[in-house]
Amino acid sequence: MRRFSWFNATSLTLGFAFLYLPMILLVIYSFNESRLVTVWAGFSTKWYGELFRDQEFLDAAWVTVKVAVFSSTLATILGTMAAYVLVRAGRFLGRTLFSGMIYAPLVMPEVITGLSLLLLFIGIGLDRGVFTIVLAHTTFSMCYVSVVVSSRLSSFDRSLEEAALDLGCSAFEAFRLVTLPIIAPAVISGWLLAFTLSLDDLVIASFTTGPSATTLPIKIFSAVRLGVSPQINALSTILIAIVTIGVITTSIITKRASQAQARDEQAAIRAED
Amino acid sequence: MRRFALIAVPYLWLLLLFLIPFVIVLKISLSDVALARPPYMPQLDLSTGWEGLKAFFAELDFENFTFLTTDDLYWKAYLSSLKIAAISTLLTLAVGYPIAYGMARAAPEWRPTLLMLVILPFWTSFLIRVYSWMGILSTEGVLNTVLLKIGIISEPLMIMNTPTAVYIGIVYTYLPFMVLPIYSALEKMDESLIEAAEDLGCSKLAAFWLVTWPLSKNGIVAGSFLVFIPALGEFVIPSLLGGSGTLMIGKVLWEEFFNNRDWPVASAVAVILLLILIVPIVLFQRNEQKAREAEG
């Protein structure tokens, strides 16, 4: 008994218009011939051409990707370990401090995280650059990974692991052969989350970088501080396109996988009967 | 042994790169600014042994914190951040609730798509989403051009570089954080409760106020904290949209550090910001725990 409601339809339409209109405008104006925002001077792809000829942008993009790949991979390993410790390791000395340190970075203002890490790097005399940004990004994104993974770890049937141990697996084999495949979707989404967080970060990277490494957000920020730039519109369009394709592909893949799993489970139930 | 390594690796990582940096911030907030590299005094010199350590602690003082209370820039910035964060949280709730409600009452086969549409902007760069409003709100921006052409206004609206632009920016970028928890609370709700209330003589509005709103309270509280906490220390939005007309503490900290190179004062600003944040964070944790217990 579901009636069509004008109120719901209007609030959804307005809400999604609000969410998407600014980005759609950005995409449209990236193809504007004119440098001015409001004057439409005809369709052109010249800003894309200029973007790809700008060596500084290309260098910054490369640095950003490098940082994101290294930091998200490290963060996934450390975050999965931390999640395993939180859910499975039981009691140990300083457990409260440990879980506090996992959750605190999630709510910490970026300016404070950035400032404190910079003061540490200066204190121990570490040269700032790609390496220090990777350290900084790994630290806050491992916490996000561990939250994602631990919610999956605490929801699955532990007897599966115990069965593997009873059947002669070592603890590590049980993890590799039973636990890891089950938590794999959470580990993958944790990696994706860490990767996006790293691509996106301006504040912490600005604090922890040195003169040798400029990331894309730092470059974008310094370019748009003084106003709208058509080159940045073109860059934004490319980034929006990549994210849209990525999210839609992932959601189709997960939908197929969950359908396949549902089919398998039903087949198993039928086989039992 | 393996268990020990499993615990020790992430533990040490967080101790070294999360906890110790805070201790350093705390220490520098008690130091004095100096024309040196690094630009603060006193430096801890362990080679002088116990005496050096004693002299070091003797030189630490709360001067920077006293300074923060005497110069009204700082407490004005804290107050204005609290105000901006609170108002934009309420605005986000006002914009987000109808969206979450519409999603939860949409046909079930539509819900995954709607959910994806809310999450999709969250994956796109935060910086770009803030930037997209610069072209809309500026004096010669899209909004003013359209409104002038239709004839609703005769003078361009000055929204850019005012707190209004900051409110719009915060509502826009943090909207998914508000919509998702409210949606998940509303989706779990049994719709026959509404029918029962209406059968028993409630008007539609009364049924909403007496049944739906209280049942979505956990989502509202969670969403509000998820917007309020990061908005308080926000830097990107006030510096791109707020201009010099908007005072926010995240921006003050940034400028104190990068422009004035006053590390001790920047550290003291960070320490106070953290102390202010502890209250909402503890309340948020408590709300989450209560919600978990209610479900479990």
Side-chain angles (χ1 to χ4, degrees):
Chain A
M1 238 248 336
R2 190 171 293 280
R3 287 156 306 172
F4 180 80
S5 143
W6 278 110
F7 177 78
N8 292 347
T10 322
S11 62
L12 282 180
T13 316
L14 287 179
F16 285 112
F18 175 64
L19 272 177
Y20 284 92
L21 220 54
M23 282 193 273
I24 293 170
L25 283 172
L26 203 62
V27 172
I28 293 173
Y29 278 102
S30 76
F31 294 105
N32 188 1
E33 172 83 37
S34 159
R35 179 170 277 281
L36 297 166
V37 212
T38 47
V39 186
W40 180 260
F43 181 87
S44 153
T45 52
K46 76 170 179 193
W47 303 115
Y48 289 87
E50 256 180 48
L51 187 68
F52 283 109
R53 277 190 299 274
D54 192 330
Q55 193 57 41
E56 278 185 35
F57 271 111
L58 297 178
D59 290 344
W62 175 233
V63 169
T64 313
V65 170
K66 250 191 325 201
V67 168
V69 168
F70 283 124
S71 71
S72 57
T73 308
L74 253 174
T76 307
I77 297 167
L78 287 166
T80 308
M81 285 171 86
Y84 204 80
V85 169
L86 278 179
V87 180
R88 292 294 154 80
R91 287 177 180 284
F92 57 90
L93 194 67
R95 191 182 193 286
T96 322
L97 177 67
F98 185 72
S99 66
M101 287 194 299
I102 290 287
Y103 289 106
L106 305 179
V107 289
M108 199 57 68
E110 289 169 317
V111 277
I112 299 186
T113 313
L115 175 71
S116 67
L117 281 166
L118 171 59
L119 295 177
L120 171 81
F121 294 147
I122 291 172
I124 57 177
L126 208 54
D127 267 342
R128 276 166 290 138
V130 172
F131 179 62
T132 46
I133 311 177
V134 169
L135 288 181
H137 283 184
T138 306
T139 307
F140 75 86
S141 44
M142 72 177 272
C143 301
Y144 285 88
V145 174
S146 100
V147 169
V148 173
V149 173
S150 65
S151 76
R152 176 78 184 161
L153 260 180
S154 55
S155 72
F156 93 79
D157 190 355
R158 220 183 149 168
S159 55
L160 290 173
E161 262 173 21
E162 281 159 11
L165 291 174
D166 285 348
L167 292 169
C169 274
S170 71
F172 183 67
E173 278 172 332
F175 177 78
R176 194 170 57 89
L177 298 170
V178 179
T179 317
L180 197 57
I182 295 177
I183 61 169
V187 174
I188 292 168
S189 30
W191 187 87
L192 281 173
L193 185 61
F195 189 80
T196 341
L197 286 170
S198 169
L199 280 190
D200 206 17
D201 169 63
L202 163 75
V203 175
I204 294 172
S206 302
F207 273 102
T208 53
T209 190
S212 63
T214 303
T215 66
L216 213 45
I218 297 177
K219 190 88 186 75
I220 295 175
F221 185 69
S222 67
V224 303
R225 273 203 110 149
L226 301 169
V228 176
S229 129
Q231 250 172 315
I232 300 295
N233 289 353
L235 178 62
S236 308
T237 305
I238 295 171
L239 293 177
I240 291 171
I242 293 173
V243 169
T244 312
I245 294 168
V247 170
I248 292 173
T249 320
T250 324
S251 81
I252 290 173
I253 291 172
T254 34
K255 203 175 167 189
R256 289 231 177 108
S258 69
Q259 277 168 350
Q261 200 185 353
R263 259 202 313 277
D264 287 351
E265 275 167 17
Q266 288 204 324
I269 291 167
R270 269 200 300 279
E272 269 174 35
D273 295 341
Chain B
M1 192 55 220
R2 204 171 251 157
R3 178 171 178 270
F4 178 77
L6 186 68
I7 297 174
V9 172
Y11 207 129
L12 285 178
W13 183 286
L14 287 171
L15 274 183
L16 189 68
L17 286 151
F18 183 73
L19 201 63
I20 292 180
F22 274 113
V23 177
I24 297 177
V25 170
L26 199 62
K27 191 213 100 183
I28 292 182
S29 75
L30 301 172
S31 311
D32 294 319
V33 67
L35 280 173
R37 276 181 76 97
Y40 58 87
M41 288 281 285
Q43 301 285 329
L44 182 55
D45 186 4
L46 285 176
S47 59
T48 50
W50 180 238
E51 281 306 311
L53 203 65
K54 241 167 52 187
F56 168 77
F57 277 109
E59 275 191 61
L60 294 180
D61 52 45
F62 289 94
E63 218 170 82
N64 298 308
F65 292 93
T66 333
F67 174 66
L68 291 192
T69 56
T70 50
D71 191 331
D72 44 343
L73 166 76
Y74 299 100
W75 62 263
K76 272 187 187 152
Y78 283 116
L79 283 183
S80 142
S81 298
L82 281 169
K83 190 182 126 202
I84 290 176
I87 293 177
S88 29
T89 303
L90 288 177
L91 290 173
T92 316
L93 177 62
V95 176
Y97 199 95
I99 301 178
Y101 188 87
M103 284 168 65
R105 297 284 172 271
E109 64 269 24
W110 273 97
R111 285 182 207 161
T113 313
L114 293 173
L115 204 57
M116 202 184 77
L117 282 173
V118 170
I119 298 171
L120 187 63
F122 170 77
W123 291 95
T124 355
S125 165
F126 182 83
L127 187 59
I128 288 176
R129 279 182 290 148
V130 177
Y131 165 68
S132 70
W133 282 94
M134 290 177 73
I136 298 176
L137 298 177
S138 63
T139 321
E140 311 89 48
V142 178
L143 184 70
N144 275 323
T145 318
V146 171
L147 290 180
L148 282 171
K149 256 197 192 128
I150 308 175
I152 295 181
I153 51 171
S154 52
E155 291 273 300
L157 298 171
M158 294 295 182
I159 301 178
M160 194 65 186
N161 297 335
T162 66
T164 315
V166 176
Y167 294 141
I168 295 174
I170 295 178
V171 172
Y172 183 66
T173 44
Y174 289 111
L175 196 59
F177 292 107
M178 184 64 88
V179 172
L180 295 176
I182 297 177
Y183 167 77
S184 77
L186 285 174
E187 203 219 2
K188 272 187 288 205
M189 205 185 107
D190 188 350
E191 269 180 77
S192 54
L193 290 172
I194 302 279
E195 284 164 27
E198 286 177 23
D199 286 347
L200 292 170
C202 268
S203 70
K204 270 211 157 70
L205 208 61
F208 172 79
W209 185 244
L210 295 170
V211 180
T212 313
W213 180 264
L215 282 174
S216 56
K217 216 168 180 181
N218 273 332
I220 296 170
V221 175
S224 301
F225 279 121
L226 287 177
V227 176
F228 182 81
I229 294 170
L232 198 61
E234 186 53 55
F235 165 75
V236 177
I237 298 173
S239 59
L240 285 186
L241 301 176
S244 52
T246 321
L247 203 53
M248 279 191 88
I249 202 67
K251 219 174 100 193
V252 171
L253 194 159
W254 176 286
E255 279 158 8
E256 208 60 68
F257 190 85
F258 284 110
N259 304 355
N260 300 351
R261 293 194 56 79
D262 193 335
W263 295 13
V265 166
S267 303
V269 169
V271 170
I272 302 277
L273 175 57
L274 211 58
L275 288 177
I276 295 175
L277 270 170
I278 284 176
V279 179
I281 289 171
V282 167
L283 289 176
F284 175 62
Q285 287 280 346
R286 235 188 241 160
N287 179 62
E288 291 290 281
Q289 212 161 13
K290 261 206 313 222
R292 266 200 299 274
E293 277 163 15
E295 265 172 43

